[in-house]
Amino acid sequence: MTPDEILEQLKQQFGDALAETEVKGTEVRLTTTPDRGREVCRHLRDLGFEYLNCVSGVDWLTHLEVVYDVSSLRHPNKAHVRVKVNRDNPAVQTVSDLWPAANWHERECYDLFGIRFDGHPDHRRILLPEDWVGYPLRKDYTDERMVPYTDYGMEEKVAKTEAAKGAPKETKAPAAAPPKPSTPAS
Amino acid sequence: MITFARLSEQFYALTAQWGIPWIVPTLVVMGIVVGVIVAYIAVAAMFLIWWERKISAHIQVRFGPMRVGGWHGWAQSIADGIKLLLKEDIIPARADKVVFVLAPMVVFAASLATYVTIPWAPGLIVKDLNIGLLYMVAISSLTVVGIVMAGWSSNNKYATLGAMRSAAQAVSYEVPLVLSLLGPVMLAGTMSMGQLVEAQGGTWFGFLPGWFVFPQAVAFLVYFVCALAECNRLPFDIPEAESELVAGFHVEYSGMRFAIFFLAEYANMVVVAAIATTLFLGGWRGPWLPIPGLPAEVSRGLFSLVWFQVKVYFLIFVMMWLRWTLNRLRVDQLMDFAWKILLPIAFANLIITGLVVTIWK
Amino acid sequence: MDTREAPIPVGTTVMMERTGETMEEMYVNMGPQHPSTHGVLRLMLKLDGEVMTDCIPYVGYLHRCHEKIAENRTYPQVVPYTDRLDYLASMSMNFGYVVAVERLMGQKVPERAEHMRVILAELQRIASHLLWLGTFGLDLGNFTIFIYCFREREMILDLFEAVSGQRLNYSFYRIGGMAFDFPDGWLDNCRAFLEWFKPRIPEYDALVTDNILFQKRLQGVGVLDAKRVVDWGLSGPMLRASGISYDLRRNDPYSIYDRFDFVVPVFDTCDVWARFLVRRQEMLESVKIIEQALDQLPAGEITAKMPKTIKPPAGQVYARTESPRGELGFYLVSDGSPKPYRYKVRSPAFCNLSALPEMMKGYLVADAVAILGSVDIVLGEIDR
């Protein structure tokens, strides 16, 4: 099945629940709501997407999002499902019974974003200690131990050299660590 | 013939003539014997530790100790020994102190006691018991007691489990070990260590030396494998392994006590190699040349002493070679191997040897 | 899975529990410091005598807020952080990241740079597998294979040091190309290394692969059949050891992997032994790929003309590459600014480790070390 056919079938099945659908290369992309999200995932799994690559969270300031990336080992198509959840009480249904791989991914999503996964068999933090307060990957997370990043005035330096030379310099912008360890970090 | 037995008899007679009660010369002789043996063990263990490091290094394409003492780091063991002596003596908080302290002594004493019946050279044997072999095997199994003591008294769950495993391993491998030793005993008709060597004179088919390894090759292999297990050497070193989950009976030991366990292990290696040499490789037998200026007996004795050491250390070299080449067996595979493979082979060897000996005689 | 009790706090020491269900059930804690766990991993094994009935991994001891940090760095500045993910396969981590950013930007990379990328990534694969083999043998009691593997790995590290100046965390890939070109004589040294390396595998075979003790430790242990492997999202050698022929370099090619002729090793006994054989064979296949890449290496630029500040257009991408441990995925969300809006690393060891309880159940405690070793975890990428 081509990605377009897959998208067609999903649209027939779910209609309005899908939004922002597109096909990019071999990937089917769509957005859906929390109450239909699990069904969409189940339908995808039945269409042959038996391999879950990744479950991530994204913080869009106005709302949170759970992103599922699934693929198949047999056909080259991929699917990218985004589920919008609201910030104050973020909750979706778990897919860890559809794809056991989601188990740890969802735990991580809960740990770092605070999104609840109803029905998850082992709903607890994974990377942070059990008694951690807060959800660090949210954009509004503050912690008095966090140190603001200073790029040591690199942007001003770059602007100055740009103005002086006139032409944009080659390649590397604020560069990564130079290979010789003796040179101080830029 | 000059033998240790005769010399000590003469010494006792002399002191009796002088009216000294019998206890004194006995203690003197015992003291000398213990001193010599402990000195030998100390030097041998130091040498073996250095040698092990060298062998492991060369198998692993590196050099090993090269600096301490100049030539190839020969003084490395001495340096390590001094370091261990200077370490803090740590006894775990709720350990059973008496048992904790005694455990390494028991293990060492059991190893030490077996040196009594090792035939170093013709006539040079502390006491040629007529049940010499039985005595050696029996006393060396006392190391299991020491190991269990160590594990139990450490007040550490891992140490206790490790000690239990070690005890199970030692006891399981004792059985095929003893059975494999009975083959040469049947051929020689005696359990006395001195006489076992005497019985290996002559030749097989006119050109092979009359050692028992030729008719008893299977028994030799079985014995060697069991000996590795008795010494807790790889591939049977579950009791000592750090990377296995259950770390081992000596996990709470440090400093000199730890060193005594390892001294005992090397002493044990020498003993099992000595038993193998005596029973299978002809003991101290080997070609000798008369040294001018010394009576023939003495020069034969000296050469025999050297031959014995050569054979013993060759077997130890093979043990070390195996350690650095093979990996560990899993505990249940170890037990399987002892009971289901080695034991039937040892039995078969015993039966066949018995039949052959009966028919021959 | 619902029978799992509340997690046992980290401070708990020796625990012996008779739950009354079976004769004797015991919890044994392995790690986070232990000679055989490869990194700071804590495993809680639930034992019934010698048999493991459950295994609860605790991760997060090496969590360094990698994803949050990346949100505050420009795209090129993230490259050194990706090194520290899987520090034993830094080139592969760099590779995965720059492929993701380039896919987001639609950036083309010069041919020479592509070939350089493949050569270095495959050398890194060999180095990573060598380290895995050495430590795996060490866990099982074979000390010699460790030294032999590290001897070869040192040669690879010397090559990497010549090209990037670093022995471990190279930060060598750049968005749009590479940092520097090969120094003089590097290509000859690389070929000389490959010639040296090819007879090494038979040498390791003589020491471990053909050793019946080694085989007995590994065969039939840690079995995970094909269906469960797919369900649990395992990737890389774990997948190929269960009979599934899926390699991202072949099935979803990135960079120029579709130009090279190599075999994807697949074994179907699904146990630790199969994983061992897969990784061993992969080393040989990597040698083939490097040779082809060296033969085809064109002259030219090593980096494309990139703008001063890299600002990918707003959008999202999930790009996956085959690291030595499996499928390394980078999920990037860009909002048009020079810094990533969301940066997520899908690490192969994280997913492989999540299936560890499945692999451990029903086997003996003595197999725990072998099974854990066969997963080839690096805590840096699990915890990020």
Side-chain angles (χ1 to χ4, degrees), chain B residues 59-62 157-158 161 165 234-235 242-245 324-333, chain C residues 15 27 29-30 36 50 139-144 147-148 211 213-214 216-217 364-367 369:
Chain B
I59 292 177
Q60 292 172 0
V61 200
R62 49 186 186 92
K157 181 173 61 168
Y158 293 139
L161 281 173
R165 277 206 189 147
L234 256 165
E242 304 150 338
S243 59
E244 295 291 324
L245 182 56
W324 296 105
T325 313
L326 299 175
N327 61 286
R328 220 170 276 133
L329 276 179
R330 209 173 58 204
V331 174
D332 63 317
Q333 289 168 346
Chain C
M15 37 229 131
Y27 281 97
N29 185 46
M30 208 170 136
S36 93
E50 281 275 332
D139 286 343
L140 293 175
N142 192 328
F143 301 97
T144 311
I147 305 284
Y148 287 1
N211 183 345
L213 296 180
F214 200 74
K216 274 173 80 83
R217 265 323 274 270
L364 300 176
V365 159
D367 292 324
V369 167

Side-chain angles (χ1 to χ4, degrees), chain A residues 18 26 105 112 161 183:
Chain A
L18 307 182
T26 50
H105 282 112
L112 298 170
T161 38
T183 318

Side-chain angles (χ1 to χ4, degrees), chain B residues 181-201:
Chain B
L181 287 177
L182 286 178
V185 166
M186 279 199 275
L187 285 181
T190 168
M191 277 201 274
S192 147
M193 296 292 271
Q195 287 177 25
L196 272 163
V197 180
E198 301 285 340
Q200 290 181 65

Side-chain angles (χ1 to χ4, degrees), chain C residues 224 226 237-246 266-270 274:
Chain C
L224 206 60
M238 311 288 291
L239 204 57
R240 296 192 276 281
S242 298
I244 298 173
S245 171
Y246 192 77
V266 178
F267 292 85
D268 56 3
T269 47
C270 311

Side-chain angles (χ1 to χ4, degrees), chain B residues 306-360:
Chain B
V306 170
W307 273 114
F308 187 78
Q309 299 296 318
V310 163
K311 291 177 195 177
V312 165
Y313 284 93
F314 171 71
L315 286 178
I316 295 179
F317 167 72
V318 174
M319 285 187 182
M320 291 184 177
W321 183 7
L322 285 174
R323 176 183 180 184
W324 296 105
T325 313
L326 299 175
N327 61 286
R328 220 170 276 133
L329 276 179
R330 209 173 58 204
V331 174
D332 63 317
Q333 289 168 346
L334 213 124
M335 294 300 154
D336 267 2
F337 187 59
W339 292 103
K340 295 189 196 168
I341 299 178
L342 287 183
L343 189 61
I345 294 177
F347 262 128
N349 178 67
L350 193 64
I351 292 170
I352 294 173
T353 312
L355 281 173
V356 167
V357 165
T358 321
I359 293 172
W360 218 260

Side-chain angles (χ1 to χ4, degrees), chain B residues 113-189:
Chain B
T114 52
Y115 279 73
V116 168
T117 46
I118 296 180
W120 303 99
L124 190 67
I125 182 172
V126 177
K127 183 69 181 172
D128 195 1
L129 297 170
N130 58 347
I131 49 156
L133 189 62
L134 177 64
Y135 164 78
M136 286 179 90
V137 173
I139 292 283
S140 62
S141 13
L142 284 180
T143 50
V144 177
V145 176
I147 288 172
V148 172
M149 283 167 71
W152 177 260
S153 65
S154 299
N155 189 35
N156 177 339
K157 181 173 61 168
Y158 293 139
T160 316
L161 281 173
M164 296 304 162
R165 277 206 189 147
S166 176
Q169 176 186 306
V171 165
S172 307
Y173 278 86
E174 287 276 338
V175 185
L177 186 137
V178 172
L179 286 176
S180 64
L181 287 177
L182 286 178
V185 166
M186 279 199 275
L187 285 181

